Amino acid sequence: MRFIVRLATNMLSFLVLSMIFTSGFRVDNWVSALFAAFVLSILNAIIKPILTVLTLPLTIITFGFFAIVVNAFLLEITADVVGGFEFTSFGWAMLIAFILSIINTILTNDLHVQVERN
C-alpha cells in the first residue's frame, strides 16, 4: 500500500511541477508521469543504494546536500528511459529532485499508511 501511495504522490508531483516549471521540466501526460514514477521507484530500489555508498564521502563533506545530486542523476536516468518526460538541464533536474524530496518527506511523514493483517 505504501508503494502505491508513494507512486501516486510522485506522479502527481511530476504533473504539478511540470505545470509550474514549464521552461525546464516537461511531462506530456499522466501516463508518462506514472511510468516515470514507476521507473524512478525501481531506480531508487536498485541503483540508489549503490550510489549512496559510493558517494558517502562527498555526502558527508557537503552535510548531506550531495544526496540531491544523486537524486537528480536518477531523475536524469528516468528521463532517458521514459518518453515524454524530460529536463532541459541538470540544474532543472536538481531543482525538481530537491522539491520532490521535500514533498515526499512531508507527505510520507504525515500520511502514515498502516496496513493491518489478519
Side-chain angles (χ1 to χ4, degrees):
M1 186 64 140
R2 184 177 297 175
F3 174 74
I4 294 170
V5 170
R6 185 165 292 236
L7 197 67
T9 302
N10 283 340
M11 180 189 80
L12 291 173
S13 299
F14 288 151
L15 290 171
V16 169
L17 291 173
S18 71
M19 287 187 270
I20 294 171
F21 302 111
T22 57
S23 63
F25 177 49
R26 182 179 66 86
V27 178
D28 285 346
N29 52 33
W30 69 271
V31 176
S32 296
L34 179 62
F35 189 53
F38 185 72
V39 169
L40 184 63
S41 67
I42 291 172
L43 291 175
N44 280 336
I46 297 171
I47 296 177
K48 188 173 183 178
I50 297 167
L51 289 177
T52 301
V53 170
L54 291 175
T55 62
L56 188 61
L58 284 173
T59 305
I60 291 171
I61 290 171
T62 62
F63 300 108
F65 287 112
F66 196 76
I68 301 295
V69 175
V70 172
N71 290 338
F73 179 69
L74 292 175
L75 279 173
E76 284 285 350
I77 293 173
T78 302
D80 288 341
V81 172
V82 178
F85 181 84
E86 64 183 33
F87 300 96
T88 57
S89 68
F90 189 74
W92 280 105
M94 284 184 58
L95 177 66
I96 298 301
F98 181 71
I99 295 170
L100 197 62
S101 65
I102 291 171
I103 291 170
N104 281 328
T105 300
I106 291 170
L107 292 180
T108 305
N109 288 338
D110 288 342
L111 294 177
H112 294 286
V113 177
Q114 302 269 334
V115 177
E116 293 184 26
R117 299 172 199 255
N118 294 328

